[in-house]
Amino acid sequence: MRDIGRERIKILLGLAELEAKKPGMGRAKRYAELARKIAMRYQIAFPPEYKRRVCKKCGSFLVFGKNATVRTLDKAVSIKCGGCGNIVRIPFTREVAWKRRLRMADRTCGKLREMKEKGASADEILKEAVRLIRGANSKFNWTGIYLLQGDTLELHNYVGRPTEHTKIKAGAGVCGTAVAQKRNINVPDVTKVQNYLACSAETKSEIVVLIRAPDGKILGQIDIDSDKRGAFNERDEKFLQRIAECVGRIIA
Ligand code: SME
């Protein structure tokens, strides 16, 4: 019985797909409803390619871009039914989310390289880099790039609350320490760091990733503050490292 059910479901969903191409989506919803009834009656799963194609609330057959919208969020994909407005969130697995972030880093690098090829100045590229990094993660509340001039870090540009720390000597604060110790620094709790230079009372954690020229020379850093405690993990560092490397290559 279940085999017949499975077969019927496939046929009905195929018909729904055809009907959905007609104006007003024809009888797509009707076919989808029948398929769903059989699936429920015999406890059969929809074929994977149709799993997300029927709204669980109103039963509409969903065609993405027509009566349904798909949004890619930080940790999930959300599908919204245009008929009843129901939203289904499908969380990514950690691995999928991580691969997505790596691709995002590569896309960012691609955009910056393209700007350079089209003749954009280093200033413009650094501004765009900050804008793109900020947009990559909602926990990146303050995002900026400092450039190292002699033994002083100078704030090039940022997105977030204004800061008075526009010049930081190597060795001072988290930023200067990263330069002095020639390493990235991840601070899960800024209240635990003695020489921390507060940029805003809201900040709870901070990460600094060095920007280096291909020969290893330190050119500056990406600095990010978060209002969340312990906001940054190893993957955030790797993500930022990828972008820092390409920025380094571009501005060296
Ligand atoms: N917190 C940094 C200073 C920079 S601001 O956070 C933007 C530090 O301790 O070096």
Side-chain angles (χ1 to χ4, degrees):
M1 218 34 217
R2 295 183 80 203
D3 281 346
I4 299 174
R6 223 167 260 128
E7 204 46 44
R8 289 259 158 89
I9 288 172
K10 249 195 179 158
I11 294 168
L12 285 164
L13 290 172
L15 285 170
E17 184 96 78
L18 283 176
E19 286 286 314
K21 295 202 169 74
K22 295 182 184 168
M25 314 253 323
R27 278 192 293 261
K29 186 170 178 179
R30 182 80 195 111
Y31 286 129
E33 274 167 359
L34 288 172
R36 202 154 69 133
K37 269 193 190 145
I38 299 172
M40 270 160 40
R41 172 106 165 70
Y42 297 103
Q43 299 192 331
I44 302 166
F46 269 17
E49 67 274 26
Y50 284 111
K51 201 171 160 211
R52 314 285 180 197
R53 299 293 303 278
V54 179
C55 174
K56 293 219 161 47
K57 196 165 169 211
C58 71
S60 290
F61 186 77
L62 303 178
V63 181
F64 305 130
K66 195 167 173 187
N67 69 341
T69 44
V70 181
R71 279 208 316 147
T72 318
L73 309 169
D74 189 22
K75 287 184 183 136
V77 172
S78 85
I79 298 176
K80 183 175 179 184
C81 168
C84 70
N86 189 47
I87 297 176
V88 177
R89 291 182 86 247
I90 307 154
F92 293 136
T93 63
R94 280 174 160 238
E95 280 322 296
V96 173
W98 174 231
K99 283 196 184 125
R100 244 196 89 238
R101 289 192 74 194
L102 285 182
R103 277 203 302 277
M104 193 192 261
D106 290 342
R107 266 205 306 278
T108 299
C109 292
K111 276 188 202 153
L112 301 177
R113 268 198 307 272
E114 199 183 307
M115 282 180 78
K116 176 157 184 159
E117 279 156 22
K118 288 193 175 144
S121 66
D123 279 344
E124 289 169 320
I125 294 170
L126 289 168
K127 279 193 187 143
E128 183 63 4
V130 166
R131 207 184 62 78
L132 290 171
I133 296 168
R134 171 63 187 94
N137 205 316
S138 55
K139 67 187 179 185
F140 295 174
N141 297 98
W142 188 96
T143 302
I145 287 184
Y146 284 88
L147 292 182
L148 188 61
Q149 311 288 354
D151 69 345
T152 305
L153 284 164
E154 292 183 4
L155 183 56
H156 180 276
N157 84 97
Y158 68 95
V159 178
R161 292 179 280 257
T163 174
E164 58 190 35
H165 303 296
T166 53
K167 286 192 172 41
I168 302 171
K169 284 255 183 240
V174 178
C175 297
T177 303
V179 172
Q181 299 183 354
K182 299 185 170 52
R183 64 181 181 102
N184 299 337
I185 298 184
N186 179 1
V187 181
D189 181 352
V190 294
T191 63
K192 301 262 158 65
V193 176
Q194 269 197 342
N195 65 348
Y196 169 69
L197 304 170
C199 135
S200 138
E202 253 63 60
T203 300
K204 304 274 190 312
S205 55
E206 174 163 7
I207 188 166
V208 172
V209 173
L210 295 173
I211 299 171
R212 293 171 185 267
D215 65 2
K217 185 176 167 228
I218 297 172
L219 303 175
Q221 59 186 224
I222 298 171
D223 178 23
I224 301 181
D225 288 355
S226 181
D227 297 351
K228 244 176 85 180
R229 188 160 293 130
F232 308 106
N233 55 30
E234 233 173 85
R235 292 192 162 179
D236 293 304
E237 185 181 336
K238 279 192 187 150
F239 170 80
L240 295 168
Q241 180 71 38
R242 240 181 213 229
I243 298 175
E245 278 167 20
C246 93
V247 169
R249 277 194 297 274
I250 291 173
I251 65 167

